[in-house]
Amino acid sequence: MEEGLLNNYEDCPGCKVEQLKRSNNGIPVKPVLFISVVTLCALAELYHVKPEHAVRDFHIAEREEDISYYAGYLGQSTIGPSLLLSNFSVFLLTSLSFLEGSSFMLGRALTSILWGIIADRYGRKPVVVIGTITVLIFNALFGLSTNYWMAIVTRFLIGSLCGIIGTMRAYASEICRKEYHALGISAVSTSWGIGLVIGPAIGGYLAQPAEKYPSIFSKESFFGRFPYFLPCLLISVFALAATVMSFWLPETLHKHNKIKQDKNNFQEAVEGSPDESNGLNVSQNINPSERRAPSSQKSLLMNWPLMSSIIVYCVFQLHDIAYLEIFSLWAVSPRTLGGLSFTTSDVGQVLAITGIGLLLFQLLVYPLVERITGPVMISRIGAVLSIPLLASYPYIALLTGFGLSIALNCASMLKNILSVSITTGLLIMQNRAVSQEQRGAANGISMSSMSLFKTIGPAAGGSLLSWSQRRLDADILPGDQLVFFVLNAIELLGLLLTLRPFLQEPEDSDNVPKSKHDSLDQENGMQERLVLTELP
């Protein structure tokens, strides 16, 4: 019976991947590289120019302390000089800026579940290819926008048509053997974190090239007339490379012909012993997590291990996006307002160093730590350590010179390492809580929920920083102390939600097979054993 269940279908790409996983016990270097490049493609376009550049360059804010407020409404968007008309009222301007900043997240929130269902039905690879092509085309168009509404539409289309992130999360847990799940999913979250920190660095170095590099770019040149197109072009070129690479991605979804399934079901029923039905034989060969897997997309909402991890994930993501928005705005704010008086290039340099440290930690250290502590414990540790670290930021602002540079780079690197470690642990839990036929939809729910939280993060962070800069003489939590206190309050809420009974771990999350034989039987043979009960 077991031998029949483990037979592969020759025309099934998922079965071919399972065969490859069983025959290769080494570290999956090539799949991890593919995952990193494709995921980074989907993220880098979002953060390549920070909004405070546009606010300051186009004199939207009347006062220096208002820059954080308006930049927060711009959130995760970029705008060129032709996108804003100086004769617009401030109210209309900030309303439209909020619309643009939210358009990407709104588009992603509306379609992530749909892309997850498509990935479960037709495969991971088509969704990835469509997503990379979307970034390639519409990111370039965004940099060439000639009016504000064109910018909004292109942002919305990028968010709507790019379903890469959720799909790659599912893909990472399927292309790697179970003992390397942490490495595969870490590649997704690491690329996510690098996109968050490298993106602004790209914008800081390449935005407005005619002003920063007049010997290379003149103001009358193409890049002089479109000062934010150069970083857009760089990301589109990267997306082109990711598109080409995605055609070599092996498909992981099992696509068994229904006739073959029915034929096997009939044969199993005929050949089985009289006192054991076919369904009983199958259920005996399925591990507990597969046996309790939801049987329909609707039942995902009743899967509490999945839903609880998504809720905790959304709380931490709200914190992270608000922190990233506040960090850049705080760094470029003048010393008189509690900031660091950094230039955009200074911020870009800090974020670039942070990205390098994050990459090394997540790929080399995180999988080992996760194997020892488990995904939930490492998320809790990350949250606990983040609280005192954030509380130190107002005191870092008191430093100057080399001491400031060292302290800020170390703090920024450690903070982002902790944030991405939290995210990775929760993503591992989400993917272990469902079976393959629902993994795309489950990650789609996660992406949609997270996008809604991230829609309010930049505006809330920018507004909070602006308010704090107006109360420098307050008796309780003056200036930027208020900002980091609120961030810590959100972090503490996330930490509390990781505790029982709220966060429920999947039953097999701490039940990794101990022997090589168990690993092959429980993980790499999992999808073959599901053939007879797999939903179409």
Side-chain angles (χ1 to χ4, degrees):
M1 179 63 184
E2 182 69 17
E3 182 180 356
L5 285 171
L6 292 176
N7 284 338
N8 292 312
Y9 290 97
E10 295 181 357
D11 57 346
C12 174
C15 288
K16 294 178 181 178
V17 169
E18 295 299 330
Q19 285 181 320
L20 181 62
K21 288 161 61 176
R22 288 197 299 271
S23 62
N24 184 6
N25 297 331
I27 299 176
V29 177
K30 188 175 180 181
V32 168
L33 177 61
F34 282 179
I35 291 169
S36 301
V37 171
V38 174
T39 306
L40 188 59
C41 163
L43 289 167
E45 60 83 23
L46 181 57
Y47 297 94
H48 49 263
V49 179
K50 292 299 290 181
E52 63 270 17
H53 302 174
V55 174
R56 178 176 281 110
D57 294 342
F58 304 119
H59 309 289
I60 299 174
E62 296 179 359
R63 298 179 298 175
E64 185 74 24
E65 57 266 34
D66 290 331
I67 288 179
S68 300
Y69 176 80
Y70 295 116
Y73 277 95
L74 285 173
Q76 304 156 37
S77 62
T78 59
I79 46 181
S82 60
L83 304 184
L84 297 179
L85 301 178
S86 59
N87 59 348
F88 276 18
S89 67
V90 172
F91 175 78
L92 178 60
L93 178 59
T94 54
S95 299
L96 291 176
S97 298
F98 179 78
L99 177 59
E100 182 187 357
S102 303
S103 59
F104 178 91
M105 286 297 176
L106 177 61
R108 192 163 71 178
L110 292 176
T111 61
S112 289
I113 297 178
L114 175 62
W115 283 117
I117 295 174
I118 292 174
D120 286 339
R121 187 69 178 88
Y122 300 102
R124 319 306 191 201
K125 188 173 179 177
V127 176
V128 171
V129 172
I130 292 173
T132 56
I133 293 176
T134 295
V135 175
L136 168 63
I137 296 175
F138 290 103
N139 185 65
L141 291 177
F142 178 75
L144 296 174
S145 297
T146 55
N147 59 73
Y148 198 88
W149 294 105
M150 179 179 175
I152 292 175
V153 170
T154 53
R155 296 288 291 174
F156 179 80
L157 289 176
I158 293 175
S160 300
L161 300 178
C162 184
I164 291 177
I165 304 301
T167 302
M168 291 308 294
R169 291 176 181 174
Y171 186 87
S173 65
E174 296 164 357
I175 195 65
C176 299
R177 295 167 60 94
K178 187 164 187 176
E179 56 265 36
Y180 296 117
H181 275 187
L183 178 61
I185 297 180
S186 176
V188 177
S189 55
T190 300
S191 297
W192 179 285
I194 290 177
L196 297 180
V197 297
I198 291 294
I202 294 175
Y205 285 119
L206 299 183
Q208 300 174 315
E211 295 183 11
K212 295 179 179 178
Y213 315 107
S215 60
I216 302 176
F217 305 96
S218 66
K219 292 185 177 181
E220 292 75 23
S221 66
F222 181 84
F223 293 106
R225 289 184 288 117
F226 296 94
Y228 296 112
F229 178 69
L230 184 57
C232 292
L233 177 62
L234 179 64
I235 301 305
S236 290
V237 171
F238 184 79
L240 176 61
T243 301
V244 174
M245 182 178 292
S246 64
F247 283 101
W248 275 270
L249 285 174
E251 178 60 66
T252 58
L253 185 67
H254 286 264
K255 300 179 179 180
H256 305 130
N257 186 281
K258 193 176 187 302
I259 297 178
K260 292 183 178 181
Q261 292 186 42
D262 293 340
K263 180 179 178 180
N264 275 279
N265 288 340
F266 176 76
Q267 291 177 346
E268 296 286 354
V270 171
E271 297 173 1
S273 60
D275 58 336
E276 289 184 328
S277 66
N278 180 57
L280 179 61
N281 285 333
V282 172
S283 64
Q284 289 176 341
N285 287 281
I286 298 178
N287 67 28
S289 65
E290 296 170 47
R291 189 179 299 119
R292 70 176 186 279
S295 59
S296 66
Q297 300 298 346
K298 184 178 180 180
S299 66
L300 285 174
L301 300 179
M302 305 300 294
N303 185 340
W304 186 244
L306 171 66
M307 299 309 298
S308 62
S309 62
I310 289 177
I311 293 172
V312 178
Y313 169 71
C314 288
V315 172
F316 281 116
Q317 287 300 298
L318 173 63
H319 170 276
D320 290 347
I321 194 63
Y323 163 78
L324 287 167
E325 186 69 23
I326 288 171
F327 178 82
S328 294
L329 294 171
W330 171 68
V332 300
S333 296
R335 287 274 184 177
T336 55
L337 297 178
L340 304 179
S341 296
F342 274 24
T343 65
T344 56
S345 297
D346 293 333
V347 176
Q349 182 176 349
V350 172
L351 295 176
I353 295 174
T354 298
I356 295 173
L358 177 63
L359 175 64
L360 295 176
F361 176 85
Q362 285 295 116
L363 294 182
L364 301 178
V365 180
Y366 179 86
L368 177 61
V369 177
E370 189 275 335
R371 190 175 303 174
I372 297 173
T373 64
V376 178
M377 183 56 65
I378 198 172
S379 296
R380 291 172 184 162
I381 294 173
V384 169
L385 295 179
S386 293
I387 293 176
L389 178 63
L390 276 176
S392 70
Y393 273 52
Y395 303 99
I396 292 178
L398 301 177
L399 302 175
T400 58
F402 184 72
L404 172 62
S405 177
I406 295 297
L408 186 64
N409 278 285
C410 291
S412 175
M413 185 184 302
L414 181 57
K415 177 64 181 72
N416 281 278
I417 285 175
L418 295 175
S419 295
V420 175
S421 296
I422 294 171
T423 298
T424 305
L426 294 171
L427 292 181
I428 291 175
M429 287 189 60
Q430 292 172 28
N431 281 278
R432 288 181 180 176
V434 293
S435 54
Q436 190 194 47
E437 68 269 13
Q438 293 186 312
R439 197 165 285 144
N443 282 280
I445 294 174
S446 175
M447 286 297 299
S448 291
S449 303
M450 178 269 293
S451 297
L452 292 176
F453 274 74
K454 281 198 168 184
T455 300
I456 65 175
S463 299
L464 178 63
L465 181 61
S466 179
W467 179 41
S468 70
Q469 290 174 343
R470 297 181 183 180
R471 54 188 307 279
L472 297 175
D473 299 326
D475 295 329
I476 301 177
L477 299 175
D480 54 0
Q481 291 187 21
L482 174 64
V483 176
F484 296 107
F485 174 80
V486 173
L487 287 176
N488 270 334
I490 301 175
E491 191 83 358
L492 179 60
L493 174 61
L495 172 62
L496 295 176
L497 291 179
T498 64
L499 303 176
R500 294 179 180 179
F502 185 85
L503 183 63
Q504 182 177 340
E505 301 181 42
E507 289 183 12
D508 66 338
S509 64
D510 294 322
N511 192 28
V512 180
K514 302 301 180 183
S515 67
K516 182 178 179 181
H517 174 75
D518 289 339
S519 176
L520 293 177
D521 177 63
Q522 293 185 22
E523 171 58 20
N524 298 327
M526 178 185 296
Q527 302 304 335
E528 289 85 348
R529 293 198 302 273
L530 276 174
V531 166
L532 300 181
T533 56
E534 188 176 38
L535 292 175

